[in-house]
């Protein structure tokens, strides 16, 4: 059995979408609903600094809040949003505002 030290094991880095910080911005509003755009940074390995990542762009989706019920519907999925994780986080944040009858121009979901 060979011993391997942590120094010899290299974890592969991949392109990924941030799930800890999601920007939310009002897209449009009517008497019945509010549409929100939600965005997250896309991270990729940084070829200049081994083991580090850099921002390569942003991914975005579009959701709609029904004012009468608080239901949040996904109109345009965020590309590569595995299991709709970013949408669900953004929707929870919008529902918190809805509970207070707030329809903010901008807000964000943040954790960590």
């Amino acid at each position: 059995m060979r011993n391997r030290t942590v120094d010899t094991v290299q974890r592969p880095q991949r392109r990924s979408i941030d799930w800890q910080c999601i920007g939310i911005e009002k897209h449009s509003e009517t008497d019945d609903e509010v549409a929100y755009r939600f965005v997250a940074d896309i991270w990729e390995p940084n070829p200049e600094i081994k083991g580090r990542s850099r921002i390569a762009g942003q991914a975005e989706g579009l959701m709609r809040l029904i004012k009468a019920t608080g239901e949040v519907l996904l109109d345009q999925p965020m590309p590569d949003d595995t299991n709709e994780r970013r949408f669900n986080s953004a929707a929870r944040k919008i529902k918190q505002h809805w509970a207070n009858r707030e329809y903010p121009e901008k807000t964000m979901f943040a954790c960590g």
Side-chain angles (χ1 to χ4, degrees):
M1 184 172 179
R2 272 191 239 169
N3 290 333
R4 293 174 59 175
T5 66
V6 175
D7 295 331
T8 61
V9 178
Q10 188 175 19
R11 293 177 181 238
Q13 286 187 307
R14 296 176 277 185
R15 189 174 173 96
S16 64
I17 301 173
D18 195 340
W19 59 269
Q20 293 183 322
C21 184
I22 301 165
I24 304 166
E25 185 174 305
K26 187 184 289 185
H27 183 264
S28 64
E29 182 174 5
T30 67
D31 290 340
D32 300 322
E33 60 189 36
V34 185
Y36 286 98
R37 184 175 148 265
F38 59 103
V39 299
D41 289 332
I42 299 171
W43 291 88
E44 68 180 13
N46 185 341
E48 297 171 7
I49 306 170
K50 187 175 179 177
R52 303 297 300 221
S53 296
R54 65 179 180 189
I55 296 174
Q58 287 190 319
E60 68 176 68
L62 192 64
M63 62 185 175
R64 186 168 27 113
L65 168 70
I66 308 301
K67 290 180 176 179
T69 63
E71 182 180 14
V72 180
L73 306 171
L74 180 60
D75 287 339
Q76 179 184 327
M78 179 182 282
D80 299 321
D81 183 11
T82 309
N83 300 318
E84 296 179 350
R85 182 178 193 176
R86 288 120 193 119
F87 163 67
N88 289 324
S89 296
R92 275 194 310 276
K93 183 65 178 183
I94 289 301
K95 282 186 174 190
Q96 289 173 347
H97 286 289
W98 172 83
N100 294 320
R101 297 296 184 233
E102 301 169 347
Y103 307 108
E105 292 295 320
K106 290 184 179 185
T107 188
M108 73 181 314
F109 167 82
C111 73

